[in-house]
Amino acid sequence: MKRIGRVVSPLLTRAHPEGWSILERMSGRRFSLSITVLLSLLTIGIIGTARAQQSEEDPPLASIYVATSGAPVVVSPGIPAAQVDFPVTCSIPSTDPEGDPEPCQLQARVFFKAQGETWRSLSVDAVPGVSIRVVLPVPNANWVDYYVEVIETQTETVVYFPKDGEDGPLRYYIEATSQIHQLAATPFGSERAPTSSFSLGWGTSNGQVGMVGGDESQRIGPQALDVTDEGNIYLLDQMNQRVQVFSPSGSLLAVQTIPVGPLGDLVLEDDDSSYFVLDRLPAGPGSPPAIHHFDGPLLLPEGVSVGAGSSLTPSVPSPEEEPVSLRYTDGIVYTYGTPSDGWRPAMTDRNDLSEVPAFQITMPADPTGIEGATILRRVRFDSMRADVGLVGSTDGGSPDLESRIGLEPSSGRYFGELALVEPTPDGGFLVVIRTWTDQPDLLAHHEVIRIDGNGNVVDQFAIAHSEYAAAAPLSLFRLGGTGDLYELWSDSSGVQVRRFDL
Amino acid sequence: MSEIVVNRGILSKVVALVSSMLLVLTISGSPALANGTGWAHANCNDGWGSDATGDPIPNWARSDAKSYATGALHEGYQWGGGCWNLDDSDPKNWDPTRDTETHGEGPDCSGFTFKSWALKYNGNPGFVKWERKDYQHGPYPTGSYANPETDWQFKMFKNKNNRKEMDAFVLSGVHIGFVYNLGTTQGQDTILEAKCEACGVIRGPQNYRGDPNWLGVKREGWSSERNTCYGDCF
């Protein structure tokens, strides 16, 4: 009522300097006091009714989560259609804060456009808790763009994936299968040892790394590393809320205290003078993620706090999106997240995003001599195929698939995570991919493959470990500024930073 | 609390059963929520220890489990817990770890599995709806999920590539997490898991499938999906 009064009273009171109320000035007539009171009550009634109607007509929005990891990337020409199921979950929050969510009713439509054609649309089946089934044509074109509209009919919640107008559509390329490599399994015991490595024990002292005990004996250790052009290693030791910098031989160079949560990622800026940290949980469970940018020289006295630096809010397409990884290339910070399962430029105050191509299912990279190109990567959900491609255009036109390879595991093996994909100057690729088997007596390991611009495998070796321990992350890889491959490996005794010359 | 690895011998099974019972009493806290100042004392129902505190229900499909478990996303984590609300926060996310007596918000990973799979305490078939406000952990630590008895309602599966949504990957004595979505473009799976005290319940890509120490475990006896199901659904 107070708010209504604040709206109504200027209309009716004779507060105007000339002694006229607003309504009187609008009508050109002065009102008697009784008329003024009557009009006041009438106006209050109208506004109050409108507000009541508004609150009754505004049901809570449904929470819709769609995973796009099943989206096709490359399809063969001549097949009748490309079909993919996108898992979808949906719930309507209860108006009772203590109540359980309500089930949803969904409708969905796919909008698609083949190269050279106009946008079209089709209705598609959507079952909450199961999937949205999208069936798309395979025309005589190089690619098809598409996005999906999902409507929860009871709440009239409408979502798009990808988010229309900001992230660009999904895309699949139409190209005949070529250059499929079935990887020969590296015999166990023939793995390549690192060129150099150093170890850090668990702990809170400088030169140690922190870990947290979760369930039973789970360990959660450092989440990320990046390497400068000189080979110095930045290690995100978030459990101790700090970044530690080590020389190539493992000597501690600097420690910077930073306020971060337990999970995140780190990436150096191009000139190595600053770095970005993705902070997934800056204020604990449920807190929105942040990207911190810490300026500062590489070498600082130990223990110097640098404060929060500048903080950025990652651009996310929906409230359900959760960024989990960072990349930095061409002056832009990208985040990778779920459920979009793709990379997108983060909103920063230093970057002009107007020229950034924003395609899903692409990983931005910094290929030498190919400006504006991006890397295409995908492991099929059945673990039996990995596709890697280079998407780019040197003529300023729409990006096309310029080169592509397919990888298949050797007999009896499967693919796990595609840990690293980098283009090489000769137009080929460097790929690090885990291979595993369901035979319990055989180990899994990461295969490192170099493929030249002609599609020939020029080098392949495996990286294995004697102990697959309970620490998380199990291992992660980065291509350092030196051009060598770096691995952060965790086990029961601590972490190892390992370098493999390429 | 260290985990005891069970082999197939009878004596080992007895030891495992006794150990599980002791572990339940330990990690569930005894006495229950009658004393203490943790979040759960003011916000949860004290109902652990028997089937009587759960609501028998006729159906529980994978989508039901997924919806139920998703409600815990962004809530807290409590070793030996527990219960949670739906406010997407944990008021004390830096509680001391591995302490069952802090009674904070949230489940731990094995308790999260028990409640989301609507399992019964006695291992019998059927479903029990555990309200999220019931301070429940259930009788199974991760070692039980990694090595179930033959008459329990969950089983191992050998080829982890055959995982389905709301199956789980387990590392005995360490951790267990749900398969939330199959596959990512980078060859992982989206996992929903009660991760750690500071992390709470999180969702994101993990490499559990490709690690030989992690095993696949699935609940048995799921109800059919009540809506249209495509192909070889469950």
Side-chain angles (χ1 to χ4, degrees):
Chain A
M1 286 305 296
K2 268 189 179 176
R3 192 175 299 173
I4 296 172
R6 282 200 292 271
V7 172
V8 171
S9 57
L11 297 173
L12 300 173
T13 58
R14 289 171 174 156
H16 192 272
E18 296 181 27
W20 286 58
S21 70
I22 294 175
L23 275 183
E24 288 172 326
R25 288 191 290 116
M26 290 171 62
S27 68
R29 297 177 57 186
R30 294 193 72 102
F31 299 148
S32 67
L33 180 61
S34 59
I35 295 296
T36 302
V37 170
L38 184 62
L39 287 173
S40 302
L41 293 173
L42 183 62
T43 305
I44 291 171
I46 291 172
I47 294 175
T49 302
R51 287 179 59 83
Q53 286 180 339
Q54 184 180 40
S55 63
E56 289 173 359
E57 292 174 350
D58 277 351
L61 293 178
S63 174
I64 302 175
Y65 178 103
V66 180
T68 59
S69 57
V73 171
V74 181
V75 300
S76 299
I79 63 173
Q83 175 180 297
V84 61
D85 292 333
F86 294 109
V88 58
T89 56
C90 178
S91 64
I92 302 171
S94 172
T95 53
D96 176 5
E98 298 298 319
D100 289 322
E102 301 292 326
C104 300
Q105 297 176 5
L106 297 180
Q107 292 179 352
R109 175 173 290 270
V110 61
F111 296 82
F112 61 96
K113 184 177 88 77
Q115 183 189 29
E117 297 184 4
T118 58
W119 284 98
R120 298 160 57 189
S121 69
L122 288 171
S123 293
V124 297
D125 293 330
V127 180
V130 183
S131 66
I132 298 171
R133 170 158 289 184
V134 177
V135 181
L136 293 161
V138 183
N140 183 23
N142 288 334
W143 47 260
V144 173
D145 285 343
Y146 68 101
Y147 63 92
V148 181
E149 173 190 79
V150 184
I151 300 175
E152 201 294 312
T153 56
Q154 299 168 96
T155 60
E156 299 182 349
T157 305
V158 182
V159 300
Y160 296 91
F161 64 94
K163 190 174 182 182
D164 185 32
E166 289 194 15
D167 295 332
L170 291 163
R171 171 176 287 194
Y172 58 90
Y173 295 89
I174 302 166
E175 183 180 289
T177 301
S178 63
Q179 295 285 357
I180 303 295
H181 297 278
Q182 184 171 41
L183 297 182
T186 301
F188 291 111
S190 302
E191 300 87 358
R192 186 173 300 179
T195 310
S196 67
S197 68
F198 61 89
S199 300
L200 305 169
W202 298 115
T204 58
S205 302
N206 290 341
Q208 294 180 317
V209 288
M211 64 93 171
V212 67
D215 298 295
E216 300 177 37
S217 57
Q218 183 187 198
R219 304 178 192 86
I220 299 174
Q223 298 281 298
L225 85 166
D226 206 350
V227 185
T228 70
D229 291 346
E230 289 75 35
N232 295 319
I233 296 109
Y234 276 68
L235 191 66
L236 178 59
D237 184 18
Q238 73 288 340
M239 287 303 170
N240 290 320
Q241 295 195 303
R242 63 188 178 188
V243 166
Q244 299 192 71
V245 187
F246 298 90
S247 70
S249 62
S251 299
L252 181 63
L253 299 178
V255 178
Q256 295 187 354
T257 301
I258 56 174
V260 291
L263 302 172
D265 198 2
L266 178 147
V267 63
L268 285 162
E269 202 167 5
D270 278 344
D271 62 2
D272 296 339
S273 67
S274 66
Y275 56 94
F276 296 89
V277 173
L278 171 66
D279 194 351
R280 292 176 59 183
L281 300 169
S287 56
I291 298 176
H292 308 297
H293 188 193
F294 296 107
D295 282 322
L298 172 64
L299 297 178
L300 284 178
E302 289 184 7
V304 172
S305 295
V306 296
S310 63
S311 293
L312 318 162
T313 301
S315 168
V316 293
S318 74
E320 307 296 336
E321 180 77 359
E322 300 176 68
V324 298
S325 302
L326 280 182
R327 283 293 183 270
Y328 182 88
T329 184
D330 288 341
I332 298 173
V333 177
Y334 293 83
T335 61
Y336 167 84
T338 59
S340 67
D341 198 14
W343 292 87
R344 60 178 30 81
M347 298 298 296
T348 77
D349 58 357
R350 296 190 181 193
N351 299 300
D352 178 4
L353 301 178
S354 62
E355 300 301 320
V356 174
F359 285 105
Q360 292 279 3
I361 326 176
T362 59
M363 175 187 171
D366 187 16
T368 303
I370 308 177
E371 180 181 348
T374 57
I375 288 290
L376 192 68
R377 62 159 65 180
R378 169 154 173 75
V379 179
R380 225 164 55 183
F381 78 97
D382 65 359
S383 311
M384 295 305 295
R385 175 74 172 271
D387 286 284
V388 170
L390 186 66
V391 179
S393 174
T394 56
D395 60 4
S398 180
D400 286 326
L401 188 64
E402 298 193 352
S403 60
R404 171 192 165 219
I405 58 168
L407 301 173
E408 293 179 346
S410 56
S411 176
R413 296 185 144 266
Y414 305 98
F415 280 147
E417 79 274 11
L418 190 56
L420 190 76
V421 177
E422 295 288 347
T424 52
D426 60 357
F429 299 97
L430 171 70
V431 176
V432 180
I433 187 168
R434 178 185 290 277
T435 66
W436 59 279
T437 172
D438 58 2
Q439 300 177 49
D441 55 333
L442 295 180
L443 296 175
H445 54 213
H446 283 93
E447 293 280 351
V448 181
I449 311 108
R450 292 189 62 190
I451 299 175
D452 68 16
N454 295 318
N456 302 311
V457 176
V458 296
D459 192 13
Q460 179 179 342
F461 62 92
I463 299 172
H465 312 90
S466 59
E467 176 187 347
Y468 280 82
L474 180 62
S475 64
L476 62 91
F477 292 87
R478 282 288 166 87
L479 192 63
T482 59
D484 299 321
L485 180 65
Y486 287 80
E487 180 191 19
L488 177 65
W489 161 249
S490 303
D491 63 19
S492 56
S493 62
V495 305
Q496 290 183 35
V497 177
R498 311 164 87 196
R499 179 174 66 89
F500 298 86
D501 287 349
L502 297 177
Chain B
M1 175 66 65
S2 61
E3 191 54 61
I4 297 176
V5 177
V6 178
N7 64 37
R8 300 294 180 187
I10 295 176
L11 179 60
S12 300
K13 289 185 179 180
V14 171
V15 169
L17 178 61
V18 172
S19 301
S20 298
M21 293 170 61
L22 289 173
L23 188 59
V24 166
L25 291 173
T26 301
I27 62 179
S28 299
S30 178
L33 301 180
N35 303 310
T37 58
W39 180 90
H41 293 280
N43 294 279
C44 300
N45 303 325
D46 180 8
W48 58 274
S50 71
D51 277 338
T53 56
D55 300 323
I57 50 175
N59 299 297
W60 196 245
R62 289 180 188 260
S63 58
D64 295 316
K66 190 171 183 180
S67 176
Y68 177 90
T70 304
L73 180 62
H74 303 316
E75 304 301 336
Y77 168 100
Q78 170 62 43
W79 203 47
C83 88
W84 58 91
N85 58 15
L86 299 177
D87 69 348
D88 288 351
S89 71
D90 178 10
K92 293 183 68 179
N93 61 297
W94 283 102
D95 264 346
T97 61
R98 306 184 70 189
D99 183 350
T100 61
E101 298 302 314
T102 52
H103 291 148
E105 189 210 25
D108 70 8
C109 65
S110 44
F112 190 34
T113 306
F114 175 78
K115 294 185 80 172
S116 300
W117 276 356
L119 294 169
K120 293 187 176 183
Y121 255 88
N122 56 16
N124 285 348
F127 310 102
V128 168
K129 177 70 179 297
W130 300 107
E131 298 300 328
R132 52 179 168 76
K133 297 193 73 176
D134 290 338
Y135 197 83
Q136 280 286 357
H137 179 276
Y140 308 117
T142 57
S144 295
Y145 291 108
N147 201 356
E149 297 297 321
T150 53
D151 56 346
W152 288 353
Q153 299 309 305
F154 45 90
K155 299 290 186 289
M156 311 307 298
F157 59 96
K158 183 180 178 183
N159 187 340
K160 289 178 288 181
N161 221 35
N162 295 333
R163 79 273 187 226
K164 293 183 170 68
E165 291 181 8
M166 294 311 289
D167 289 343
F169 291 134
V170 60
L171 182 59
S172 182
V174 179
H175 190 49
I176 184 170
F178 292 119
V179 178
Y180 192 82
N181 284 128
L182 273 63
T184 67
T185 55
Q186 301 189 46
Q188 300 158 328
D189 296 299
T190 302
I191 301 294
L192 177 67
E193 55 192 334
K195 187 69 171 177
C196 75
E197 181 68 52
C199 317
V201 179
I202 63 172
R203 176 181 58 195
Q206 296 287 6
N207 302 326
Y208 301 157
R209 177 165 42 98
D211 184 334
N213 282 349
W214 288 77
L215 307 175
V217 56
K218 59 180 180 178
R219 201 218 196 277
E220 298 271 274
W222 291 108
S223 301
S224 299
E225 295 296 332
R226 290 179 286 282
N227 294 308
T228 304
C229 183
Y230 299 111
D232 182 17
C233 294
F234 303 123

